[in-house]
Amino acid sequence: MKKCFLVTGATGFLGSHVVKKLVAEGQNVVLLKRSFSNISRLASVMKNVKSYDIDKLDDFAQVFDDQHIDVIIHTATCYGRQGEAVEQIYDVNLHFPLKLLELALRFNTDTFFNTDTILSKYLNWYALSKKQFSEIGQQFAGQGKINFIDAKLEHMYGEDDANTKFVTYVIEKLQENIDELKLTKGEQCRDFIYVDDVVEAYWKILCNQNEDKKYQQYEVGTGKAVSIKELVTLAKSITKSQTRLAFGAVPYRENEIMDSKANIESLQKLGWQPRMDLEAGIRKIVGAGK
């Protein structure tokens, strides 16, 4: 299978791992980035890909005119954690991918692979905007216009992730040996999946596609839930930190999800299994930070 893949969010955490996987598999890769994007995560493969600066493009159609795009892999996202306005969140999570989806229909792109979230759409603007785009994709696929794959991610983590992400933040603070780390009670359970396992799941899904134009949904996680308290306690043990864990110092957020784990039966049927357990994943992050 050799195809031309267009990747959004390519300089980000997940996107960069996806790009490197595609390059390793000998695929043609086109990426979208901003002219001022930090490309350090892609330093080893930039010579093997074609890139476009979206802030300098007059029309996204140019990307599709220059080469036939077989598959779009959409990983770009805005979580709203940096104080972005709702309009900014929607620009990234809804308006931007919708432009690409309509171009995909116009230029006969076979597949749109969307990175969605497992979170309830009522949790925040990020989750709502992601769900709304997924519903649009499902509508187009239901009309037989495109193969739309919806990958609903659980809690992804890994080395080189942003320190605004929970696992990275906790490990960083523990390694700094701050006096006290204020946390919720930590009773909420999450399905933590290592980024390499996510990328392998994506690739396994892509390798099992046919020419049908339909909507497909996959939950991407390990299928196992671990409490926040257990994760943080494990991270403290691995880092040998002296930081005091202040569980209960922070209230649960409104509409907090107390238990979440992926149903991975559909991925298992494709022959995929997660390989990295939580302890090994945390040790890898800690080792990378030394």
Side-chain angles (χ1 to χ4, degrees):
M1 176 188 81
K2 184 161 186 176
K3 295 184 177 181
C4 183
F5 291 82
L6 175 64
V7 183
T8 74
T11 61
F13 177 53
L14 174 58
S16 60
H17 280 81
V18 169
V19 168
K20 285 184 276 193
K21 173 65 175 178
L22 294 173
V23 169
E25 295 292 342
Q27 303 300 311
N28 294 325
V29 182
V30 178
L31 57 89
L32 298 180
K33 65 178 187 66
R34 293 183 175 89
S35 59
F36 50 86
S37 294
N38 183 343
I39 62 171
S40 59
R41 289 185 175 115
L42 294 173
S44 63
V45 296
M46 281 302 292
K47 63 181 182 298
N48 304 112
V49 304
K50 184 173 183 179
S51 68
Y52 291 85
D53 293 331
I54 58 177
D55 52 318
K56 294 183 177 180
L57 279 177
D58 293 327
D59 188 348
F60 286 165
Q62 179 186 334
V63 179
F64 294 80
D65 276 329
D66 290 349
Q67 60 266 302
H68 176 70
I69 303 296
D70 297 297
V71 181
I72 296 173
I73 302 182
H74 177 52
T75 72
T77 196
C78 177
Y79 295 102
R81 294 173 180 152
Q82 305 300 318
E84 295 92 345
V86 175
E87 181 182 8
Q88 292 173 290
I89 295 171
Y90 267 72
D91 276 343
V92 177
N93 296 342
L94 182 60
H95 303 146
F96 170 55
L98 181 54
K99 285 181 183 178
L100 292 178
L101 180 56
E102 292 191 308
L103 284 168
L105 299 173
R106 176 177 156 191
F107 286 91
N108 298 313
T109 294
D110 300 321
T111 300
F112 195 107
F113 195 116
N114 181 50
T115 301
D116 193 7
T117 175
I118 205 76
L119 297 174
S120 165
K121 66 181 180 181
Y122 301 111
L123 184 63
N124 52 34
W125 292 112
Y126 156 72
L128 181 59
S129 59
K130 297 293 285 186
K131 295 300 181 187
Q132 287 173 333
F133 178 67
S134 294
E135 290 168 355
I136 291 171
Q138 185 172 2
Q139 182 79 1
F140 279 125
Q143 295 170 359
K145 293 183 177 181
I146 196 166
N147 184 34
F148 192 93
I149 302 168
D150 218 8
K152 299 182 179 298
L153 281 190
E154 284 284 350
H155 198 115
M156 178 178 60
Y157 71 102
E159 68 269 25
D160 203 30
D161 198 0
N163 60 9
T164 55
K165 304 288 188 62
F166 181 73
V167 175
T168 309
Y169 169 80
V170 166
I171 292 174
E172 182 179 284
K173 293 304 177 185
L174 290 173
Q175 288 179 313
E176 290 174 1
N177 272 309
I178 62 173
D179 292 336
E180 180 181 77
L181 182 58
K182 294 182 179 180
L183 301 151
T184 65
K185 290 181 180 179
E187 299 163 316
Q188 64 273 53
C189 294
R190 297 287 182 269
D191 187 341
F192 296 96
I193 180 166
Y194 191 74
V195 64
D196 288 352
D197 283 333
V198 173
V199 173
E200 289 301 323
Y202 277 30
W203 182 245
K204 184 66 74 172
I205 294 168
L206 288 164
C207 288
N208 282 274
Q209 296 304 301
N210 53 38
E211 295 182 359
D212 293 344
K213 296 186 184 303
K214 59 185 179 181
Y215 174 78
Q216 301 171 64
Q217 178 179 300
Y218 294 88
E219 294 184 10
V220 183
T222 65
K224 299 176 181 178
V226 176
S227 74
I228 296 296
K229 188 171 186 176
E230 182 179 347
L231 176 136
V232 175
T233 303
L234 176 61
K236 178 177 178 178
S237 174
I238 291 172
T239 57
K240 297 181 172 57
S241 176
Q242 299 303 308
T243 297
R244 189 175 77 84
L245 304 179
F247 289 109
V250 177
Y252 289 126
R253 61 186 172 180
E254 188 177 355
N255 298 320
E256 180 69 83
I257 298 169
M258 296 307 294
D259 186 57
S260 180
K261 66 179 178 180
N263 180 342
I264 61 173
E265 289 181 8
S266 55
L267 284 173
Q268 290 174 320
K269 289 177 181 178
L270 299 180
W272 175 88
Q273 289 284 353
R275 295 181 179 179
M276 185 76 75
D277 65 36
L278 186 58
E279 181 176 349
I282 292 175
R283 288 190 183 279
K284 194 167 183 180
I285 297 172
V286 171
K290 291 180 179 178

Short mmCIF file of all heavy atoms in Angstrom, two decimals, residues 188-234:
data_model
loop_
_atom_site.label_atom_id
_atom_site.label_comp_id
_atom_site.label_asym_id
_atom_site.label_seq_id
_atom_site.Cartn_x
_atom_site.Cartn_y
_atom_site.Cartn_z
N GLN A 188 -10.87 9.52 40.04
CA GLN A 188 -11.31 9.34 38.65
C GLN A 188 -10.34 8.42 37.89
O GLN A 188 -9.14 8.50 38.08
CB GLN A 188 -11.48 10.69 37.93
CG GLN A 188 -10.22 11.52 37.77
CD GLN A 188 -9.91 12.42 38.93
OE1 GLN A 188 -9.84 11.94 40.05
NE2 GLN A 188 -9.66 13.70 38.68
N CYS A 189 -10.89 7.55 37.10
CA CYS A 189 -10.08 6.55 36.38
C CYS A 189 -9.99 6.89 34.90
O CYS A 189 -10.98 7.30 34.28
CB CYS A 189 -10.68 5.16 36.56
SG CYS A 189 -10.60 4.55 38.27
N ARG A 190 -8.81 6.71 34.35
CA ARG A 190 -8.55 7.03 32.95
C ARG A 190 -7.82 5.88 32.27
O ARG A 190 -7.11 5.10 32.91
CB ARG A 190 -7.69 8.31 32.84
CG ARG A 190 -8.35 9.56 33.38
CD ARG A 190 -9.45 10.05 32.47
NE ARG A 190 -10.05 11.27 32.98
CZ ARG A 190 -11.10 11.32 33.78
NH1 ARG A 190 -11.66 10.19 34.20
NH2 ARG A 190 -11.60 12.48 34.18
N ASP A 191 -7.98 5.82 30.98
CA ASP A 191 -7.30 4.83 30.14
C ASP A 191 -6.09 5.52 29.51
O ASP A 191 -6.22 6.28 28.56
CB ASP A 191 -8.28 4.34 29.06
CG ASP A 191 -7.73 3.19 28.24
OD1 ASP A 191 -6.51 2.99 28.23
OD2 ASP A 191 -8.55 2.51 27.59
N PHE A 192 -4.91 5.28 30.07
CA PHE A 192 -3.69 5.93 29.60
C PHE A 192 -3.03 5.08 28.51
O PHE A 192 -2.66 3.94 28.76
CB PHE A 192 -2.72 6.15 30.76
CG PHE A 192 -3.24 7.08 31.82
CD1 PHE A 192 -3.85 6.58 32.96
CD2 PHE A 192 -3.11 8.46 31.67
CE1 PHE A 192 -4.34 7.43 33.94
CE2 PHE A 192 -3.60 9.33 32.65
CZ PHE A 192 -4.20 8.82 33.78
N ILE A 193 -2.86 5.68 27.33
CA ILE A 193 -2.26 4.94 26.21
C ILE A 193 -1.04 5.67 25.69
O ILE A 193 -1.08 6.88 25.45
CB ILE A 193 -3.29 4.67 25.08
CG1 ILE A 193 -2.62 3.90 23.94
CG2 ILE A 193 -3.94 5.96 24.59
CD1 ILE A 193 -3.61 3.31 22.95
N TYR A 194 0.03 4.93 25.50
CA TYR A 194 1.29 5.48 25.05
C TYR A 194 1.19 5.84 23.56
O TYR A 194 0.57 5.14 22.77
CB TYR A 194 2.40 4.46 25.27
CG TYR A 194 3.79 4.99 25.09
CD1 TYR A 194 4.36 5.83 26.04
CD2 TYR A 194 4.54 4.67 23.97
CE1 TYR A 194 5.64 6.33 25.89
CE2 TYR A 194 5.82 5.16 23.80
CZ TYR A 194 6.36 5.99 24.76
OH TYR A 194 7.62 6.49 24.59
N VAL A 195 1.83 6.95 23.17
CA VAL A 195 1.67 7.49 21.82
C VAL A 195 2.05 6.50 20.72
O VAL A 195 1.40 6.45 19.67
CB VAL A 195 2.46 8.82 21.67
CG1 VAL A 195 3.95 8.59 21.82
CG2 VAL A 195 2.13 9.50 20.34
N ASP A 196 3.09 5.71 20.94
CA ASP A 196 3.48 4.73 19.91
C ASP A 196 2.37 3.71 19.66
O ASP A 196 2.19 3.25 18.53
CB ASP A 196 4.77 4.01 20.30
CG ASP A 196 5.99 4.90 20.21
OD1 ASP A 196 5.87 6.03 19.70
OD2 ASP A 196 7.09 4.48 20.65
N ASP A 197 1.65 3.34 20.71
CA ASP A 197 0.53 2.41 20.54
C ASP A 197 -0.61 3.05 19.76
O ASP A 197 -1.30 2.39 18.98
CB ASP A 197 0.03 1.94 21.91
CG ASP A 197 0.94 0.90 22.54
OD1 ASP A 197 1.63 0.17 21.80
OD2 ASP A 197 0.97 0.81 23.78
N VAL A 198 -0.81 4.36 19.97
CA VAL A 198 -1.83 5.09 19.20
C VAL A 198 -1.47 5.06 17.71
O VAL A 198 -2.31 4.76 16.86
CB VAL A 198 -1.95 6.54 19.68
CG1 VAL A 198 -2.88 7.34 18.76
CG2 VAL A 198 -2.46 6.59 21.11
N VAL A 199 -0.22 5.36 17.40
CA VAL A 199 0.22 5.41 16.00
C VAL A 199 0.09 4.04 15.34
O VAL A 199 -0.34 3.93 14.19
CB VAL A 199 1.66 5.93 15.91
CG1 VAL A 199 2.19 5.82 14.49
CG2 VAL A 199 1.72 7.39 16.36
N GLU A 200 0.45 3.00 16.07
CA GLU A 200 0.31 1.65 15.51
C GLU A 200 -1.15 1.29 15.29
O GLU A 200 -1.48 0.59 14.33
CB GLU A 200 0.97 0.63 16.44
CG GLU A 200 2.49 0.70 16.46
CD GLU A 200 3.13 0.50 15.08
OE1 GLU A 200 2.62 -0.32 14.30
OE2 GLU A 200 4.13 1.18 14.79
N ALA A 201 -2.03 1.78 16.15
CA ALA A 201 -3.47 1.55 15.95
C ALA A 201 -3.94 2.25 14.69
O ALA A 201 -4.69 1.68 13.89
CB ALA A 201 -4.25 2.05 17.17
N TYR A 202 -3.50 3.49 14.50
CA TYR A 202 -3.85 4.24 13.29
C TYR A 202 -3.41 3.47 12.04
O TYR A 202 -4.16 3.33 11.07
CB TYR A 202 -3.19 5.62 13.31
CG TYR A 202 -3.92 6.69 14.10
CD1 TYR A 202 -4.69 6.37 15.20
CD2 TYR A 202 -3.82 8.04 13.75
CE1 TYR A 202 -5.34 7.36 15.93
CE2 TYR A 202 -4.47 9.04 14.46
CZ TYR A 202 -5.22 8.68 15.55
OH TYR A 202 -5.87 9.66 16.27
N TRP A 203 -2.17 3.02 12.08
CA TRP A 203 -1.62 2.32 10.91
C TRP A 203 -2.37 1.01 10.64
O TRP A 203 -2.65 0.68 9.49
CB TRP A 203 -0.12 2.06 11.11
CG TRP A 203 0.54 1.40 9.94
CD1 TRP A 203 1.10 0.16 9.89
CD2 TRP A 203 0.70 1.95 8.63
NE1 TRP A 203 1.60 -0.10 8.65
CE2 TRP A 203 1.38 0.99 7.85
CE3 TRP A 203 0.35 3.17 8.04
CZ2 TRP A 203 1.70 1.19 6.51
CZ3 TRP A 203 0.67 3.37 6.70
CH2 TRP A 203 1.32 2.39 5.95
N LYS A 204 -2.70 0.30 11.70
CA LYS A 204 -3.44 -0.96 11.54
C LYS A 204 -4.81 -0.69 10.91
O LYS A 204 -5.25 -1.44 10.02
CB LYS A 204 -3.60 -1.64 12.89
CG LYS A 204 -4.27 -3.01 12.83
CD LYS A 204 -3.41 -4.03 12.08
CE LYS A 204 -2.23 -4.49 12.91
NZ LYS A 204 -1.50 -5.62 12.27
N ILE A 205 -5.46 0.36 11.35
CA ILE A 205 -6.76 0.71 10.76
C ILE A 205 -6.61 1.04 9.28
O ILE A 205 -7.37 0.56 8.43
CB ILE A 205 -7.38 1.92 11.51
CG1 ILE A 205 -7.74 1.53 12.94
CG2 ILE A 205 -8.63 2.43 10.78
CD1 ILE A 205 -8.08 2.72 13.84
N LEU A 206 -5.61 1.85 8.96
CA LEU A 206 -5.39 2.27 7.57
C LEU A 206 -5.05 1.09 6.66
O LEU A 206 -5.42 1.07 5.48
CB LEU A 206 -4.27 3.31 7.51
CG LEU A 206 -4.64 4.69 8.06
CD1 LEU A 206 -3.39 5.52 8.32
CD2 LEU A 206 -5.57 5.42 7.08
N CYS A 207 -4.36 0.12 7.20
CA CYS A 207 -3.97 -1.05 6.40
C CYS A 207 -5.13 -2.01 6.17
O CYS A 207 -5.00 -2.96 5.39
CB CYS A 207 -2.82 -1.79 7.07
SG CYS A 207 -1.23 -0.94 7.00
N ASN A 208 -6.22 -1.78 6.84
CA ASN A 208 -7.38 -2.67 6.71
C ASN A 208 -8.57 -1.98 6.05
O ASN A 208 -9.72 -2.31 6.34
CB ASN A 208 -7.77 -3.21 8.08
CG ASN A 208 -6.87 -4.34 8.55
OD1 ASN A 208 -7.09 -5.50 8.24
ND2 ASN A 208 -5.83 -3.97 9.30
N GLN A 209 -8.28 -1.04 5.16
CA GLN A 209 -9.34 -0.32 4.47
C GLN A 209 -9.60 -0.91 3.08
O GLN A 209 -8.70 -1.44 2.45
CB GLN A 209 -8.99 1.16 4.33
CG GLN A 209 -8.87 1.91 5.65
CD GLN A 209 -10.13 1.81 6.49
OE1 GLN A 209 -11.21 2.20 6.05
NE2 GLN A 209 -10.01 1.27 7.69
N ASN A 210 -10.84 -0.81 2.66
CA ASN A 210 -11.18 -1.16 1.28
C ASN A 210 -11.75 0.08 0.61
O ASN A 210 -11.58 1.19 1.10
CB ASN A 210 -12.18 -2.33 1.24
CG ASN A 210 -13.41 -2.07 2.12
OD1 ASN A 210 -13.90 -0.94 2.19
ND2 ASN A 210 -13.90 -3.10 2.77
N GLU A 211 -12.40 -0.07 -0.50
CA GLU A 211 -12.87 1.09 -1.25
C GLU A 211 -14.26 1.57 -0.82
O GLU A 211 -14.80 2.49 -1.42
CB GLU A 211 -12.87 0.76 -2.75
CG GLU A 211 -11.47 0.51 -3.30
CD GLU A 211 -11.48 0.23 -4.80
OE1 GLU A 211 -12.57 0.22 -5.40
OE2 GLU A 211 -10.39 0.02 -5.35
N ASP A 212 -14.81 0.98 0.19
CA ASP A 212 -16.13 1.40 0.66
C ASP A 212 -16.07 2.82 1.23
O ASP A 212 -15.11 3.19 1.90
CB ASP A 212 -16.64 0.46 1.76
CG ASP A 212 -16.93 -0.93 1.26
OD1 ASP A 212 -17.02 -1.09 0.03
OD2 ASP A 212 -17.04 -1.86 2.08
N LYS A 213 -17.10 3.59 0.93
CA LYS A 213 -17.22 4.93 1.50
C LYS A 213 -18.25 4.86 2.62
O LYS A 213 -19.44 4.75 2.37
CB LYS A 213 -17.61 5.94 0.41
CG LYS A 213 -16.57 6.10 -0.69
CD LYS A 213 -16.93 7.20 -1.65
CE LYS A 213 -15.93 7.30 -2.80
NZ LYS A 213 -14.56 7.51 -2.36
N LYS A 214 -17.76 4.89 3.85
CA LYS A 214 -18.63 4.68 5.00
C LYS A 214 -18.04 5.37 6.23
O LYS A 214 -16.92 5.89 6.20
CB LYS A 214 -18.80 3.19 5.28
CG LYS A 214 -17.48 2.48 5.56
CD LYS A 214 -17.67 0.97 5.71
CE LYS A 214 -16.33 0.27 5.97
NZ LYS A 214 -16.48 -1.19 6.10
N TYR A 215 -18.80 5.36 7.30
CA TYR A 215 -18.33 5.91 8.58
C TYR A 215 -17.86 4.76 9.46
O TYR A 215 -18.55 3.74 9.60
CB TYR A 215 -19.47 6.66 9.27
CG TYR A 215 -19.12 7.13 10.66
CD1 TYR A 215 -18.33 8.27 10.85
CD2 TYR A 215 -19.58 6.45 11.79
CE1 TYR A 215 -18.01 8.71 12.13
CE2 TYR A 215 -19.26 6.89 13.07
CZ TYR A 215 -18.48 8.02 13.24
OH TYR A 215 -18.16 8.45 14.49
N GLN A 216 -16.67 4.92 10.02
CA GLN A 216 -16.12 3.92 10.94
C GLN A 216 -15.70 4.60 12.24
O GLN A 216 -15.19 5.71 12.21
CB GLN A 216 -14.90 3.24 10.33
CG GLN A 216 -15.15 2.53 9.01
CD GLN A 216 -13.85 2.07 8.39
OE1 GLN A 216 -13.15 1.24 8.95
NE2 GLN A 216 -13.52 2.62 7.24
N GLN A 217 -15.89 3.90 13.33
CA GLN A 217 -15.55 4.46 14.63
C GLN A 217 -14.71 3.47 15.41
O GLN A 217 -15.03 2.28 15.49
CB GLN A 217 -16.83 4.78 15.40
CG GLN A 217 -16.61 5.32 16.80
CD GLN A 217 -17.92 5.64 17.47
OE1 GLN A 217 -18.71 6.45 17.01
NE2 GLN A 217 -18.19 4.98 18.60
N TYR A 218 -13.60 3.96 15.96
CA TYR A 218 -12.72 3.13 16.79
C TYR A 218 -12.41 3.87 18.08
O TYR A 218 -12.10 5.06 18.05
CB TYR A 218 -11.41 2.82 16.07
CG TYR A 218 -11.55 1.96 14.84
CD1 TYR A 218 -11.79 2.54 13.59
CD2 TYR A 218 -11.45 0.57 14.91
CE1 TYR A 218 -11.91 1.76 12.45
CE2 TYR A 218 -11.57 -0.21 13.78
CZ TYR A 218 -11.81 0.38 12.56
OH TYR A 218 -11.94 -0.40 11.43
N GLU A 219 -12.48 3.17 19.19
CA GLU A 219 -12.01 3.72 20.44
C GLU A 219 -10.57 3.29 20.63
O GLU A 219 -10.25 2.09 20.52
CB GLU A 219 -12.88 3.24 21.61
CG GLU A 219 -14.31 3.76 21.52
CD GLU A 219 -15.16 3.38 22.72
OE1 GLU A 219 -14.60 2.86 23.72
OE2 GLU A 219 -16.38 3.60 22.68
N VAL A 220 -9.68 4.26 20.87
CA VAL A 220 -8.25 3.97 20.93
C VAL A 220 -7.74 4.18 22.35
O VAL A 220 -7.61 5.30 22.83
CB VAL A 220 -7.46 4.85 19.94
CG1 VAL A 220 -5.98 4.48 19.97
CG2 VAL A 220 -8.02 4.70 18.53
N GLY A 221 -7.47 3.10 23.02
CA GLY A 221 -6.94 3.10 24.37
C GLY A 221 -6.39 1.72 24.66
O GLY A 221 -6.26 0.89 23.77
N THR A 222 -6.10 1.44 25.91
CA THR A 222 -5.60 0.12 26.29
C THR A 222 -6.73 -0.83 26.68
O THR A 222 -6.53 -2.04 26.76
CB THR A 222 -4.63 0.22 27.47
OG1 THR A 222 -5.35 0.68 28.63
CG2 THR A 222 -3.49 1.17 27.16
N GLY A 223 -7.89 -0.25 26.96
CA GLY A 223 -9.00 -1.06 27.44
C GLY A 223 -8.98 -1.25 28.94
O GLY A 223 -9.80 -1.98 29.50
N LYS A 224 -8.02 -0.58 29.62
CA LYS A 224 -7.90 -0.70 31.07
C LYS A 224 -7.89 0.70 31.69
O LYS A 224 -7.23 1.60 31.18
CB LYS A 224 -6.61 -1.44 31.45
CG LYS A 224 -6.54 -2.86 30.92
CD LYS A 224 -5.20 -3.50 31.26
CE LYS A 224 -5.12 -4.92 30.69
NZ LYS A 224 -3.79 -5.54 30.98
N ALA A 225 -8.59 0.85 32.81
CA ALA A 225 -8.64 2.14 33.49
C ALA A 225 -7.79 2.11 34.76
O ALA A 225 -7.79 1.12 35.49
CB ALA A 225 -10.09 2.50 33.83
N VAL A 226 -7.08 3.21 34.97
CA VAL A 226 -6.22 3.36 36.16
C VAL A 226 -6.60 4.67 36.84
O VAL A 226 -6.83 5.68 36.17
CB VAL A 226 -4.73 3.40 35.75
CG1 VAL A 226 -3.85 3.67 36.96
CG2 VAL A 226 -4.33 2.10 35.07
N SER A 227 -6.66 4.68 38.16
CA SER A 227 -7.03 5.91 38.87
C SER A 227 -5.90 6.93 38.78
O SER A 227 -4.72 6.57 38.69
CB SER A 227 -7.36 5.62 40.33
OG SER A 227 -6.19 5.36 41.07
N ILE A 228 -6.29 8.19 38.82
CA ILE A 228 -5.30 9.28 38.82
C ILE A 228 -4.37 9.12 40.03
O ILE A 228 -3.16 9.33 39.93
CB ILE A 228 -6.01 10.64 38.87
CG1 ILE A 228 -6.85 10.87 37.60
CG2 ILE A 228 -5.00 11.77 39.07
CD1 ILE A 228 -6.06 10.96 36.32
N LYS A 229 -4.93 8.75 41.16
CA LYS A 229 -4.11 8.57 42.36
C LYS A 229 -3.05 7.50 42.15
O LYS A 229 -1.88 7.66 42.55
CB LYS A 229 -5.01 8.22 43.55
CG LYS A 229 -4.26 8.23 44.88
CD LYS A 229 -5.24 8.10 46.05
CE LYS A 229 -4.50 8.27 47.38
NZ LYS A 229 -5.45 8.24 48.53
N GLU A 230 -3.44 6.40 41.53
CA GLU A 230 -2.50 5.31 41.26
C GLU A 230 -1.40 5.76 40.31
O GLU A 230 -0.22 5.46 40.51
CB GLU A 230 -3.25 4.10 40.69
CG GLU A 230 -2.37 2.89 40.43
CD GLU A 230 -3.14 1.71 39.87
OE1 GLU A 230 -4.39 1.72 39.91
OE2 GLU A 230 -2.49 0.76 39.38
N LEU A 231 -1.77 6.50 39.27
CA LEU A 231 -0.78 6.98 38.31
C LEU A 231 0.22 7.92 38.96
O LEU A 231 1.43 7.77 38.79
CB LEU A 231 -1.46 7.69 37.14
CG LEU A 231 -0.50 8.31 36.13
CD1 LEU A 231 -0.94 8.04 34.70
CD2 LEU A 231 -0.36 9.82 36.32
N VAL A 232 -0.27 8.89 39.72
CA VAL A 232 0.62 9.88 40.33
C VAL A 232 1.52 9.22 41.37
O VAL A 232 2.72 9.52 41.46
CB VAL A 232 -0.20 11.03 40.97
CG1 VAL A 232 0.73 11.99 41.70
CG2 VAL A 232 -1.00 11.76 39.90
N THR A 233 0.97 8.30 42.14
CA THR A 233 1.77 7.58 43.14
C THR A 233 2.86 6.76 42.46
O THR A 233 4.00 6.71 42.94
CB THR A 233 0.86 6.67 43.99
OG1 THR A 233 -0.17 7.46 44.62
CG2 THR A 233 1.66 5.96 45.07
N LEU A 234 2.53 6.12 41.34
CA LEU A 234 3.51 5.35 40.58
C LEU A 234 4.60 6.26 40.04
O LEU A 234 5.80 5.95 40.12
CB LEU A 234 2.82 4.62 39.42
CG LEU A 234 3.71 3.83 38.46
CD1 LEU A 234 4.46 2.71 39.19
CD2 LEU A 234 2.87 3.25 37.32
#
